[in-house]
Amino acid sequence: MPRHAFHRADPAFSLGAGLLAAVVVAALPPVAQNLNLTMFSAGLVRAACLIMVLNAALCAPRPRASAFRWLLAALTAYCAGEILFFHVEAPGPRAGWVPRASDLCFLLLYPLTLRALLDLSGARASPPALQIDVAAVTLTLTLPLLLPLSRAGHATAWIQAIFPVLDLWLLLITGWLLLARTRQLRLHQLLLATAVLLIGLGDLWYVGRVAAGDYLNLRPVLHLWNATFALIALSALLALDPDDRVLLRARPLPPRLRSLLSFWPFLALLGAFVSGWALRGTSQGGAVHMTVTLLIAALLTARYRLLVTRQLRLLERLRETSRALGRSRADLHRQLHTDDLTGLPNRRALMDTLARWADPAPAGTRNGAAREPGAATGGAADRGAADRGAADEGVGVIFLDLNGFKAVNDHHGHAAGDLVLREVARRLRGALLRPDDLAARLSGDEFAVAFRGPPDHGEALLRAVGAVITGTPVSGPGLPPDLRVGVSAGLAHSITGPRTLSPLLSSADHRMYLAKRGGSGLFRSWPTTDESPLPGSDSGR
């Protein structure tokens, strides 16, 4: 039989039990003239409710079935407590502060109901901050109970006052679970929340009567509890339908209301002060008030300690995120500005460096923008001053193109060609004369060297690069032992040639191709037209 076939195949069972609960609540109490008849109607209501909840525990869709199993256990413990209270112990004043067996059964209602609500909302547990808030708000709202209890002056009223406090705590937890966790409120959930509210009202009424010394007028309390069980039975009936109607969808609280709720700790302290003033002169009430006030203060301290700990964790997480972002930015910068094969800076890095050298003014003074005095500080100011000093001496660039590299790829394979490129990059890096000289790979077998300084530094750098690259054979796996690499180069300088970046690069590139067409090892330096052979170069391409 399918899981939901029971309640679908026999709807009269569920409907009849629900109607029985409704008829008992609506018809029997008005005609009940004594407590025994009222107790009889209450027993019928509870029996009908337990049957309905058992049906939901067996036939409702998950996770509602699990929730109603826990609710069935909670209601069974509650009914056992009522049997002990009314038929074994009998209502009346207590001899001392020792709890009765019925009190223990009633106390089981709260953890079992909480577990049922957790399953119904799909939450595992409430956050610690919420638990502290709920406990503090519960104690604050129960402070007005201390005045009538202190006037009663007997243990029975003080012990029974525990239950309205727990009812309020359970009601606040219920509201959070059904709205904040599920983000929507269905009809069967609303009925359960209303039942929790009615239990609290009934317990509060009973405590008021006990504080006044009336232990026998229990019919109004029983009517409230009957209505509670009737609502639970109706909720169990509606929970059988997996498409139960959604009544309300939770929305985030407006910022203004959220800011007002942040003042509740001050309201808690104000309530403790007002209740303490009202309880002046009562020794027993004053002692309990002092205890409750200390509990509220301890809860508020724990809440703010938890808040500070959370803020510190968030701050540490933010710092770690910032460090990870910095590492990611550095890694991205490296990837964007580094050639993967040779490890040299790539074309983007070369262009950025030349652009910085060609326009060394600080960012705040470019395009006519004024910069505040002292705004450039530390390393940025030092680099800007060095760039401006180098710009006075000029900026140069050397374009290099390997000769015969295509033959290496064709005869020995691309792996051998990659080995040649890595070796040329290593030699090119070792030929630099100054720490700020920059060697880069443009693409394929094209390389470049950027430098700052006078033109004679560029001439010296060009000869050093040519000597290192062409001086010794390139050796490695898959290469012939006498393989030499030729290079053609073109040099351009901002003092002897174009002073802007784009024409300077075009000039160096043009000189390199002139040298390549003229023969291996020739280079041209702007503006001279003399061809000068590179040291150690051969004459063939």
Side-chain angles (χ1 to χ4, degrees):
M1 179 180 294
R3 179 174 180 81
H4 306 299
F6 179 73
H7 77 269
R8 290 177 179 173
D10 190 11
F13 172 82
S14 300
L15 184 59
L19 289 176
L20 176 62
V23 169
V24 170
V25 173
L28 285 182
V31 300
Q33 300 297 323
N34 55 68
L35 184 60
N36 291 331
L37 188 56
T38 304
M39 293 294 297
F40 176 73
S41 66
L44 291 179
V45 172
R46 281 147 180 76
C49 178
L50 290 176
I51 293 175
M52 292 288 295
V53 174
L54 176 61
N55 185 32
L58 295 176
C59 303
R62 294 182 178 179
R64 300 180 188 178
S66 175
F68 278 93
R69 292 190 192 102
W70 288 103
L71 189 60
L72 179 63
L75 295 179
T76 303
Y78 188 85
C79 293
E82 284 190 330
I83 293 174
L84 291 174
F85 179 75
F86 287 107
H87 300 287
V88 178
E89 300 167 352
R94 299 170 182 257
W97 292 89
V98 179
R100 298 175 178 177
S102 59
D103 297 330
L104 300 179
C105 292
F106 291 144
L107 288 176
L108 287 176
L109 172 73
Y110 300 99
L112 295 174
T113 304
L114 178 61
R115 177 56 190 269
L117 292 172
L118 288 174
D119 287 350
L120 197 61
S121 62
R124 292 185 178 181
S126 54
L130 177 72
Q131 297 177 14
I132 294 175
D133 288 346
V134 169
V137 171
T138 301
L139 291 176
T140 303
L141 295 179
T142 55
L143 283 174
L145 282 176
L146 297 180
L147 185 59
L149 292 176
S150 62
R151 292 175 179 174
H154 52 80
T156 305
W158 286 104
I159 293 178
Q160 294 300 324
I162 297 175
F163 297 103
V165 175
L166 294 176
D167 294 332
L168 178 59
W169 169 80
L170 185 61
L171 183 63
L172 293 175
I173 290 289
T174 302
W176 177 80
L177 288 175
L178 297 184
L179 291 178
R181 293 295 298 180
T182 61
R183 297 296 182 184
Q184 59 187 13
L185 184 63
R186 297 185 180 271
L187 183 55
H188 73 279
Q189 296 171 336
L190 177 62
L191 293 177
L192 280 181
T194 306
V196 174
L197 176 61
L198 291 182
I199 290 178
L201 292 177
D203 290 340
L204 187 62
W205 182 290
Y206 180 70
V207 170
R209 301 312 305 165
V210 169
D214 184 4
Y215 299 94
L216 299 178
N217 186 18
L218 299 180
R219 281 193 294 271
V221 178
L222 288 176
H223 295 338
L224 279 174
W225 290 338
N226 288 346
T228 298
F229 277 85
L231 289 177
I232 295 175
L234 186 57
S235 174
L237 175 64
L238 295 175
L240 295 173
D241 184 9
D243 299 324
D244 188 13
R245 180 184 176 187
V246 176
L247 298 178
L248 178 66
R249 296 188 183 276
R251 297 179 179 178
L253 293 177
R256 185 173 299 178
L257 180 58
R258 204 178 308 166
S259 62
L260 290 177
L261 291 178
S262 63
F263 287 97
W264 75 260
F266 303 100
L267 297 178
L269 296 178
L270 179 62
F273 173 77
V274 173
S275 60
W277 179 82
L279 289 171
R280 66 188 187 281
T282 59
S283 58
Q284 192 178 49
V288 175
H289 173 268
M290 180 62 68
T291 303
V292 173
T293 303
L294 290 177
L295 287 175
I296 293 176
L299 289 172
L300 293 180
T301 303
R303 182 183 187 274
Y304 282 104
R305 176 66 180 273
L306 186 64
L307 181 62
V308 170
T309 303
R310 182 186 300 174
Q311 294 295 329
L312 291 176
R313 290 177 180 174
L314 290 177
L315 182 60
E316 182 60 29
R317 189 178 302 174
L318 181 61
R319 290 174 178 171
E320 180 60 30
T321 303
S322 178
R323 289 192 291 265
L325 181 61
R327 291 191 296 267
S328 299
R329 291 181 61 183
D331 185 63
L332 179 61
H333 184 274
R334 182 191 61 79
Q335 294 179 14
L336 291 176
H337 293 79
T338 304
D339 178 62
D340 293 334
L341 178 62
T342 62
L344 289 177
N346 57 13
R347 180 184 292 272
R348 182 192 299 271
L350 176 71
M351 299 301 293
D352 291 347
T353 302
L354 288 174
R356 187 177 73 250
W357 289 349
D359 186 13
T365 61
R366 292 176 184 172
N367 301 324
R371 186 179 182 89
E372 295 294 335
T377 58
D382 296 339
R383 287 193 301 269
D387 292 342
R388 288 190 294 272
D392 296 338
E393 296 183 349
V395 176
V397 61
I398 304 172
F399 275 21
L400 304 167
D401 185 85
L402 301 183
N403 299 328
F405 180 74
K406 184 176 183 302
V408 175
N409 274 335
D410 293 342
H411 294 99
H412 305 287
H414 290 282
D418 292 344
L419 182 62
V420 170
L421 292 176
R422 285 194 290 267
E423 177 62 21
V424 169
R426 186 188 66 81
R427 296 182 181 186
L428 190 60
R429 191 183 292 111
L432 301 179
L433 301 180
R434 291 181 179 178
D436 56 349
D437 292 339
L438 178 70
R441 182 192 177 202
L442 302 182
S443 64
D445 60 345
E446 294 183 357
F447 295 84
V449 177
F451 62 92
R452 298 183 294 185
D456 56 350
H457 173 64
E459 299 286 348
L461 185 60
L462 178 61
R463 295 185 179 277
V465 167
V468 169
I469 293 178
T470 63
T472 58
V474 178
S475 60
L479 296 178
D482 56 346
L483 177 64
R484 290 180 179 268
V485 178
V487 62
S488 297
L491 167 65
H493 198 277
S494 62
I495 292 182
T496 59
R499 300 190 62 86
T500 56
L501 181 58
S502 181
L504 185 69
L505 296 174
S506 299
S507 175
D509 187 61
H510 178 66
R511 299 296 164 187
M512 181 192 70
Y513 279 102
L514 286 179
K516 196 172 186 66
R517 285 199 300 268
S520 176
L522 298 179
F523 71 92
R524 289 180 178 266
S525 177
W526 184 280
T528 63
T529 58
D530 298 333
E531 297 180 354
S532 305
L534 289 177
S537 62
D538 53 14
S539 59
R541 295 184 63 180

